[in-house]
Amino acid sequence: VIAAPSSMRAIANQPGNMTDDMLRRLAAKGGVVQLTFHTEFLSQALLDAERTLAKEFEGFERQTKARCGDDELCAIRESERFRTQLTVDGKLPEVSWEKSIDHIDHAVKVAGADHVGLRSDFGGAWMPKGMEDASKLPQITAALLRKGYSEADIVKILRDTGTDVVVN
């Protein structure tokens, strides 16, 4: 059983994130949680800021629908521009790649490295600063080594499960 994409609700209270109890039950069945780098799964501060800006986001969505219609690429570009401007204006906090290490570390402490993996979502999610693409992945290895993780456990966390099964 694989739970993906997800992260840890103890760190960011997002409905798609797993509670510690959910993670323990998943591990007991031999499952793996695949942690995402998507900023909305990583940062409680970002979630709180988005809730505060709900009316601005609703207005933006209406304007984007009027401007872009069903053109998904147009909507994505507009959304990137809007979120970037909110971050520059200080209305949305910047989320750093190190936040993903917090989620990995928490998940390993709750379930063990055998039950933790990664699912980047590079192709369709808001990436944290410093984790914009796959070329940045070696810093995950380096950070886990600095935290004292064994090479064997890091290999487990970085492994490819070879599946797209989603259970959230």
Side-chain angles (χ1 to χ4, degrees):
V1 177
I2 296 173
S6 193
S7 285
M8 300 292 90
R9 204 176 296 178
I11 298 172
N13 190 12
Q14 205 265 31
N17 283 348
M18 296 188 75
T19 65
D20 290 357
D21 183 58
M22 292 164 70
L23 184 55
R24 283 186 202 96
R25 289 185 290 150
L26 179 73
K29 296 203 179 279
V32 175
V33 61
Q34 289 184 317
L35 303 173
T36 182
F37 299 133
H38 185 20
T39 57
E40 290 182 341
F41 285 70
L42 296 179
S43 172
Q44 187 62 48
L46 178 62
L47 292 169
D48 293 344
E50 288 176 343
R51 286 183 189 111
T52 300
L53 297 170
K55 288 194 186 335
E56 284 187 57
F57 275 100
E58 289 170 13
F60 164 76
E61 288 172 12
R62 281 192 301 276
Q63 292 172 355
T64 300
K65 183 67 174 168
R67 188 174 319 124
C68 297
D70 292 330
D71 183 345
E72 189 174 340
L73 185 56
C74 173
I76 289 169
R77 287 183 179 142
E78 289 296 310
S79 183
E80 287 174 352
R81 181 194 56 76
F82 180 68
R83 293 179 71 86
T84 298
Q85 189 60 54
L86 288 174
T87 303
V88 167
D89 292 345
K91 293 181 178 180
L92 287 180
E94 193 167 75
V95 180
S96 173
W97 72 272
E98 289 96 345
K99 199 70 178 158
S100 63
I101 300 301
D102 296 341
H103 287 267
I104 293 168
D105 195 45
H106 183 86
V108 169
K109 286 176 181 169
V110 171
D114 289 330
H115 304 286
V116 179
L118 302 179
R119 184 181 181 116
S120 68
D121 289 326
F122 286 126
W126 301 107
M127 293 293 111
K129 183 175 176 77
M131 189 56 71
E132 293 82 9
D133 58 55
S135 72
K136 310 292 187 190
L137 285 171
Q139 63 194 1
I140 299 271
T141 301
L144 294 176
L145 285 168
R146 283 191 302 274
K147 285 184 110 18
Y149 280 74
S150 70
E151 289 183 20
D153 281 348
I154 293 170
V155 167
K156 290 175 188 178
I157 294 165
L158 298 178
R159 72 186 172 275
D160 178 8
T161 60
T163 182
D164 271 346
V165 175
V166 177
V167 286
N168 256 1

